[in-house]
Amino acid sequence: MTATIIDGKAVAERLRAGLAGRVAALPFRPGLRVVRVGDDPASGVYVRNKDRAALAAGFDSATIALPADTRESDLLALIARLNADPAVDGILVQLPLPPQIRADAVIEAVDPEKDVDGFHPVNAGRLASRQPGLVPCTPKGVMHLLREAGARLPGARAVVLGRSQIVGRPMLQLLLAADCTVTVAHSRTRDLPGECRRAEILVAAVGQSELVRGDWVAEGAIVIDVGINRGPDGKLRGDVAFAEALPRAAAITPVPGGVGPMTIACLLENTLEAAIARRRLPS
Ligand code: NDP
């Protein structure tokens, strides 16, 4: 068997086109503000891509760039202004932040109704208690890809590698809500290859280049590789050894071109959802 390659770029393009159509039908342009502190080059590329995608889909999008020595109190004051601005539907503060700024304080300062990253504890709590809220973009994108790949989720054995706030934990909640039987593995898990081999759906989000070897993948599994790791040769690699997994999996995402494009598309989806909910429009 050779796996179907799940084309995240194409799925994301279709999602963005659908969002652009919905935005065009609104009597206003949903407003997104991305706040960037410092000049981390990787974040720079990512923020520019977000802006470009948002503008192309008809959003009112702008990036606010602050110097690396910005004080936490100044960033919190900016967030308070954006929270109060009726034209702003979504606020995203690009992580990581410089060491003088506490990320938790910043995440908690964003109005949960405008928290398009879905990182605020109120939104994490809503997700965990199955209430409507804003869901983190990357795991949300993974769910889109699983549906595209034709995954039969109810009852499926799903294994999530990684337990971070931004990927692993919300991924657990989304798969559980879709009636999967979910195992979350992490750096203290005893038998990582054994856990992976039981997975019908395997989501890898560890940030370790090609940690998941081909013989960790069960025949016919659907493999979603969230990892983005830049090797010494400058090439991007996932958390899964793609070439080894290809003959065993039923479907697999490539890196790049898999989950990455979905994250930005889901950010736009969240911004539209936030605008509709906040402005009390019918969805
Ligand atoms: P974190 O570093 O926050 O979390 C990594 C998780 O993996 C932790 O739970 C850690 O375990 C676990 N882990 C690390 N090493 C091992 C190991 N050797 N064996 C088992 N578990 C391990 O990373 P993120 O969740 O933020 O990101 C994960 C990856 O996804 C990164 O490559 C990141 O670049 C990528 N990413 C991609 C996005 C996209 O748009 N495609 C968006 C966000 C992230 P423990 O908790 O025990 O320390």
Side-chain angles (χ1 to χ4, degrees):
M1 186 199 287
T2 293
T4 302
I5 296 176
I6 305 168
D7 185 349
K9 217 171 146 215
V11 178
E13 260 167 35
R14 282 202 298 278
L15 179 57
R16 284 192 275 113
L19 294 170
R22 289 172 63 196
V23 168
L26 291 174
F28 64 94
R29 295 172 75 203
L32 172 66
R33 296 294 174 269
V34 177
V35 181
R36 183 179 169 215
V37 186
D39 48 15
D40 174 54
S43 300
V45 174
Y46 192 47
V47 166
R48 268 195 301 283
N49 287 342
K50 282 177 188 169
D51 246 350
R52 202 174 304 139
L55 291 170
F59 289 75
D60 159 27
S61 173
T63 297
I64 301 168
L66 302 176
D69 61 356
T70 298
R71 286 185 309 195
E72 182 181 294
S73 56
D74 291 331
L75 178 56
L76 294 178
L78 169 65
I79 292 170
R81 285 199 297 281
L82 296 174
N83 283 343
D85 184 342
V88 174
D89 297 292
I91 303 167
L92 183 151
V93 182
Q94 183 66 42
L95 302 176
L97 290 164
Q100 76 277 14
I101 300 179
R102 293 166 301 152
D104 283 354
V106 170
I107 289 168
E108 289 187 33
V110 174
D111 178 348
E113 306 303 316
K114 298 188 177 189
D115 167 40
V116 285
D117 246 344
F119 294 166
H120 194 290
V122 165
N123 282 317
R126 284 181 181 154
L127 180 61
S129 44
R130 305 177 69 190
Q131 290 172 22
L134 290 162
V135 173
C137 304
T138 300
K140 191 174 182 171
V142 171
M143 295 307 288
H144 277 296
L145 292 178
L146 286 172
R147 289 193 193 96
E148 282 286 329
R152 278 194 295 274
L153 298 175
R157 282 192 306 276
V159 173
V160 179
L161 295 186
R163 56 175 164 177
S164 72
Q165 286 302 122
I166 66 171
V167 190
R169 281 167 206 264
M171 196 70 252
L172 155 70
Q173 296 297 345
L174 290 171
L175 290 166
L176 202 54
D179 296 324
C180 294
T181 302
V182 193
T183 300
V184 179
H186 45 78
S187 67
R188 307 294 296 272
T189 296
R190 258 200 310 272
D191 177 16
L192 211 52
E195 296 294 345
C196 291
R197 279 185 204 114
R198 277 192 283 280
E200 293 166 288
I201 293 168
L202 180 61
V203 180
V206 284
Q208 304 285 329
S209 186
E210 302 190 335
L211 176 78
V212 178
R213 308 312 308 183
D215 65 355
W216 298 22
V217 174
E219 290 286 345
I222 298 181
V223 180
I224 307 286
D225 190 350
V226 179
I228 303 178
N229 310 290
R230 196 172 289 282
D233 54 1
K235 270 197 180 163
L236 289 185
R237 288 189 180 78
D239 289 343
V240 179
F242 182 81
E244 292 178 17
L246 207 54
R248 298 175 67 99
I252 186 167
T253 57
V255 177
V259 176
M262 293 302 295
T263 298
I264 292 184
C266 289
L267 170 68
L268 302 186
E269 190 176 45
N270 276 355
T271 305
L272 179 57
E273 281 174 16
I276 287 170
R278 213 174 56 79
R279 297 173 194 239
R280 309 277 184 268
L281 299 172
S283 54

